[in-house]
Amino acid sequence: MSQVLVLNASYEPLNVTSVKRAVVLVLKDKAEPIEVLVQRKFRSERRSIPYPLVIRLVKYVRVPRNVRLRISKKAVLARDSYRCQYCGRENDYLTVDHVVPRSRGGESDWENVAAACPACNTRKGNHLLHEVSMSLIRKPMAPSYIVLILLEARTVHESWHPYLSYEIRPVS
Ligand SMILES: [Zn+2]
């Protein structure tokens, strides 16, 4: 069963929930469906509601913003849209590269780690970017909480894309 993206009243993405829970929120008038599958409907005694893909809470919920997500391989790859940050390609064997290598004093912080395919990682080795004429397609930064949503989601439905920030958009 697929999942539903929950938006705050302000349309900012909040989290991911089950279809069942989303339907309950809509039936209780706590949320409204924003993106739906028109072919499928849920029926209760009095109402029929379309199968939700994205719902929006009627009342605004306050969320702490400065949550700094712990660095993990999973989180780095999600932040970097599952693409090598040097060649821009998707790869099933992405690694986490230290932009300034640890052996040269680079720290393990969000600003110094990037997803890299094995080929780019090998090419870069223990060098600084300018030494091997390589560059990053995007400056690494601490991820927004949207990455948390991506980590919880089993799959990211196409209908969610307009509501999520750059993290999941293709780098074109
Ligand atoms: Zn690469």
Side-chain angles (χ1 to χ4, degrees):
M1 203 164 201
S2 59
Q3 292 170 304
V4 177
L5 178 67
V6 183
L7 305 177
N8 212 336
S10 57
Y11 287 89
E12 287 166 281
L14 268 186
N15 55 36
V16 174
T17 194
S18 66
V19 174
K20 201 175 155 188
R21 169 108 183 105
V23 168
V24 170
L25 288 171
V26 172
L27 285 173
K28 284 185 171 169
D29 293 318
K30 293 203 166 143
E32 58 171 2
I34 297 289
E35 302 281 345
V36 296
L37 264 185
V38 275
Q39 314 90 295
R40 290 180 67 182
K41 286 200 189 316
F42 281 95
R43 276 171 221 289
S44 73
E45 280 151 46
R46 279 160 293 153
R47 283 167 72 181
S48 139
I49 72 155
Y51 190 97
L53 298 168
V54 179
I55 60 167
R56 171 178 168 258
L57 297 183
V58 172
K59 266 174 84 178
Y60 183 80
V61 217
R62 250 173 219 296
V63 262
R65 269 312 149 68
N66 40 10
V67 186
R68 205 164 155 99
L69 185 62
R70 201 172 60 82
I71 295 183
S72 66
K73 183 177 177 185
K74 226 178 138 186
V76 173
L77 302 192
R79 181 199 66 180
D80 292 345
S81 316
Y82 308 96
R83 277 165 198 269
C84 172
Q85 295 301 291
Y86 297 109
C87 66
R89 293 196 198 104
E90 285 180 41
N91 187 293
D92 287 340
Y93 304 98
L94 287 175
T95 59
V96 174
D97 179 58
H98 282 75
V99 180
V100 175
R102 271 190 285 201
S103 60
R104 315 257 314 242
E107 308 263 356
S108 289
D109 55 33
W110 282 109
E111 291 74 18
N112 192 45
V113 291
C117 71
C120 289
N121 203 335
T122 303
R123 188 178 151 209
K124 187 163 159 286
N126 269 336
H127 295 98
L128 298 174
L129 289 176
H130 71 268
E131 296 171 348
V132 277
S133 310
M134 287 173 79
S135 57
L136 287 158
I137 58 173
R138 202 156 61 192
K139 191 177 182 301
M141 287 182 293
S144 68
Y145 67 100
I146 287 162
V147 165
L148 290 168
I149 296 173
L150 295 175
L151 293 174
E152 276 173 52
R154 284 190 295 272
T155 50
V156 173
H157 195 275
E158 239 178 86
S159 66
W160 299 8
H161 288 200
Y163 305 96
L164 299 170
S165 79
Y166 77 96
E167 270 97 348
I168 63 144
R169 298 225 183 122
V171 183
S172 60

